[in-house]
Amino acid sequence: MRDSYLSNLKLVVVKVGTSTFTSKSNPMDRHAIKNISRQVCELLDKGIKVVLVSSGAIGAGMHLLGLKSRPRTLEHLQAAAAIGQAQLMKAYDEYFKEHHRKVAQVLLIRDDLEERKRYINVKSTIFTILEYGAVPIINENDTVSADEIKIGDNDTLASLVTKLLGADLLIILSDVDGLYSHMGKKEVVDTVEEIDRRIEELACGTDKDVCVGGMSTKIKAAKVVTEAGIPMVIANGQAEEILTKIVNKERVGTIFIPRAKRSTS
Ligand code: GLU
């Protein structure tokens, strides 16, 4: 099954969640950022273009500011994101440079993906960054996105970016091995052909202190991309060589099969 959906990958969107970069004791694990950067460079070496959607700004900001819990007011959250985003990009820049690769920061808000003119502009800018051989690293522009213009979580952002670019695959890296077949059981579903009620019921939210999202936003993201004719894989970002294993079609994580033929926009 994976063979037919994961062959000839030319452009892949990889979403890395805050959970991959944080642990209870460390809201910004540089080792994990380094590890993901190296794996992305391995895909680039295989000739696969990669767009990274990376969370972690607020976590990195908390780390730098020495905050023990997630700020509660909007302005404190936005300030922490502004401080953390710079740290995050600094870390990516350093680790991609070790592989002689360039990175580009792209911060988006909802309007950028909804208004046609802005949408077309974002699309051509990202393709131009790729043409320059750099890796676009996308996050929501948390510092300016108040409630009404907010995308809210990076699973949704990654799904919208995947559709916008007409990428060949979305990989969502999380802190779980995939979609579990039963609540409370660690048995991963290998393939989801249809996102029905049962699958939706398997998704549950998380209320972790440093991150938003959970399985339910991932399932919604899967709906967006599979309906646009694009497959999606959810896998564990801390598992060894996970990106390479996915593109080598190994049976890791959960793959969501596209529902429709690829649409172009
Ligand atoms: N944009 C937020 C950050 O960088 C994260 C949103 C998410 O994890 O979904 O911290």
Side-chain angles (χ1 to χ4, degrees):
M1 180 74 90
R2 293 194 185 218
D3 249 11
S4 45
Y5 296 104
L6 302 179
S7 295
N8 296 321
L9 298 174
K10 292 190 180 64
L11 176 61
V12 172
V13 176
V14 177
K15 184 258 173 177
V16 202
T18 304
S19 61
T20 302
F21 295 155
T22 56
S23 61
K24 273 222 161 70
S25 57
N26 187 359
M28 186 179 164
D29 180 353
R30 293 180 69 94
H31 181 75
I33 301 177
K34 182 173 178 160
N35 180 29
I36 292 295
S37 305
R38 179 187 50 76
Q39 290 192 52
V40 168
C41 290
E42 277 168 21
L43 299 200
L44 300 177
D45 291 344
K46 287 178 191 285
I48 300 173
K49 291 196 165 113
V50 180
V51 172
L52 203 54
V53 174
S54 175
S55 310
I58 295 173
M62 284 169 59
H63 178 60
L64 199 76
L65 295 165
L67 307 178
K68 296 263 174 305
S69 58
R70 195 177 163 92
R72 305 233 176 265
T73 69
L74 181 64
E75 61 272 24
H76 285 88
L77 265 178
Q78 294 189 315
I83 292 164
Q85 180 67 28
Q87 290 304 305
L88 193 62
M89 286 309 294
K90 199 169 145 213
Y92 276 124
D93 184 54
E94 183 183 326
Y95 298 134
F96 275 86
K97 255 194 200 133
E98 287 178 4
H99 303 272
H100 312 286
R101 300 282 182 181
K102 295 181 273 296
V103 292
Q105 170 178 269
V106 180
L107 298 178
L108 301 175
I109 58 170
R110 182 169 281 283
D111 283 356
D112 296 323
L113 299 165
E114 283 183 350
E115 267 179 38
R116 180 132 186 102
K117 213 168 135 196
R118 288 165 79 154
Y119 173 99
I120 289 171
N121 183 246
V122 168
K123 183 171 171 174
S124 38
T125 303
I126 294 174
F127 277 117
T128 309
I129 293 170
L130 290 169
E131 250 173 60
Y132 277 136
V135 176
I137 301 186
I138 303 179
N139 197 356
E140 179 156 17
N141 194 347
D142 294 311
T143 304
V144 300
S145 60
D147 274 354
E148 25 340 316
I149 53 164
K150 219 172 158 163
I151 300 164
D153 69 88
N154 278 4
D155 295 325
T156 306
L157 173 62
S159 67
L160 297 175
V161 166
T162 302
K163 195 174 152 183
L164 166 89
L165 299 175
D168 300 309
L169 172 68
L170 169 61
I171 298 174
I172 293 196
L173 296 179
S174 177
D175 58 349
V176 291
D177 293 334
L179 178 69
Y180 292 136
S181 58
H182 299 92
M183 287 287 184
K185 261 200 182 173
K186 296 211 162 174
E187 196 181 280
V188 172
V189 178
D190 180 73
T191 307
V192 173
E193 289 187 48
E194 195 189 341
I195 303 169
D196 53 18
R197 280 267 304 275
R198 204 185 70 81
I199 296 293
E200 276 170 358
E201 278 164 16
L202 287 178
C204 57
T206 57
D207 57 357
K208 290 184 192 153
D209 218 21
V210 284
C211 54
V212 289
M215 202 44 86
S216 52
T217 52
K218 292 173 183 48
I219 299 294
K220 280 192 197 134
K223 271 193 170 166
V224 172
V225 296
T226 55
E227 275 165 22
I230 302 167
M232 182 181 116
V233 172
I234 299 178
N236 194 329
Q238 277 146 2
E240 225 172 287
E241 303 307 322
I242 192 69
L243 291 181
T244 306
K245 285 184 180 160
I246 293 169
V247 302
N248 284 347
K249 309 175 191 101
E250 288 183 33
R251 288 176 67 119
V252 285
T254 302
I255 182 165
F256 294 78
I257 301 302
R259 295 277 292 155
K261 279 226 151 42
R262 187 78 68 85
S263 57
T264 45
S265 52

